[in-house]
Amino acid sequence: AGLALAPALGTKVPYDPQKDFAHIGLAVYAPYLLLVPLALPVASVQEFIGYAKKQPGKLNYGSSGTGTPNHLGGELLDILAGTRTVHVPYKGGATALVDLIGGQLQYMFSAIPQVQGHVKSGRLRALGVSGPVRSHVLPDVPTVRELGFLNLEVQGWNGFLAPKGTPREAIDRLHKETRAAIEMPDVQARAAVLREDFGKFVVAVG
């Protein structure tokens, strides 16, 4: 997703993501969770938004750096919900998670793989999935959308690209071979593990 984020944020990069690449297909899709520490007195997205509105500028959220999906997730939440929270950038997501668990941060968006263990063990509370569907890894956590009051989507993805000008027949061949590789039994067996470790694995390329 960084391929699109950098130019969208005004960062000077030596490429145009829409014009300089031939797109082969999507490989991995990872929805994010809206997380709060157990000490925060909220149990739902709606309660969280109400709590944040009563304390403008006092709730901090962490990210793995400025311009990352978890940073922009907080900005999008503020825009859609009418809240005003404070972004605290870290040099990595792991440090931010430590502070979230410890209560130094009041909320955070994070991809499911990095936090599902903390949610299942009860160290963090997941209020909602910021994607269009629930995660099979955490099926009891509703999506923010299904709760009915925010069209909030924060997610990461990985795909396959080729340089602009790659012949169409080569793109079609790469698409076909990549899809065939992903659908191989041993890759599917690994994908079953990845589904538990890294969220949703899109096995169909295209």
Side-chain angles (χ1 to χ4, degrees):
L3 182 76
L5 284 178
L9 293 171
T11 303
K12 291 184 178 181
V13 293
Y15 61 81
D16 183 319
Q18 296 184 347
K19 297 179 180 180
D20 293 342
F21 300 97
H23 299 269
I24 298 168
L26 178 68
V28 178
Y29 160 77
Y32 278 51
L33 290 174
L34 173 57
L35 301 154
V36 298
L38 298 185
L40 205 72
V42 299
S44 69
V45 175
Q46 190 169 15
E47 288 182 5
F48 172 76
I49 291 174
Y51 184 79
K53 284 185 174 180
K54 292 177 181 178
Q55 303 181 75
K58 294 184 179 180
L59 270 63
N60 299 323
Y61 72 94
S63 79
S64 53
T66 301
T68 56
N70 33 31
H71 166 213
L72 298 181
E75 297 292 336
L76 183 59
L77 176 65
D78 278 348
I79 292 171
L80 294 177
T83 53
R84 182 161 59 87
T85 59
V86 179
H87 174 227
V88 182
Y90 287 74
K91 293 183 178 180
T95 309
L97 280 175
V98 170
D99 280 358
L100 181 67
I101 293 171
Q104 285 78 28
L105 298 172
Q106 283 70 56
Y107 80 99
M108 184 173 171
F109 284 93
S110 179
I112 294 174
Q114 287 80 13
V115 297
Q116 62 174 301
H118 298 307
V119 173
K120 289 180 177 180
S121 66
R123 288 190 290 269
L124 287 173
R125 181 179 297 123
L127 300 183
V129 177
S130 58
V133 298
R134 293 192 183 200
S135 168
H136 65 278
V137 177
L138 298 168
D140 294 332
V141 180
T143 67
V144 175
R145 178 185 292 183
E146 77 183 73
L147 295 174
F149 53 90
L150 276 181
N151 186 22
L152 177 69
E153 290 194 18
V154 184
Q155 53 200 346
W157 52 265
N158 296 99
F160 296 97
L161 304 169
K164 177 184 177 181
T166 301
R168 181 71 251 177
E169 57 269 23
I171 296 296
D172 292 342
R173 176 68 182 275
L174 287 168
H175 176 97
K176 179 181 177 181
E177 295 297 334
T178 302
R179 181 167 186 159
I182 289 175
E183 293 177 348
M184 291 173 61
D186 56 339
V187 176
Q188 286 292 297
R190 178 58 180 158
V193 176
L194 291 174
R195 286 190 179 97
E196 294 300 318
D197 292 342
F198 301 107
K200 183 177 180 181
F201 189 88
V202 180
V203 295
V205 175

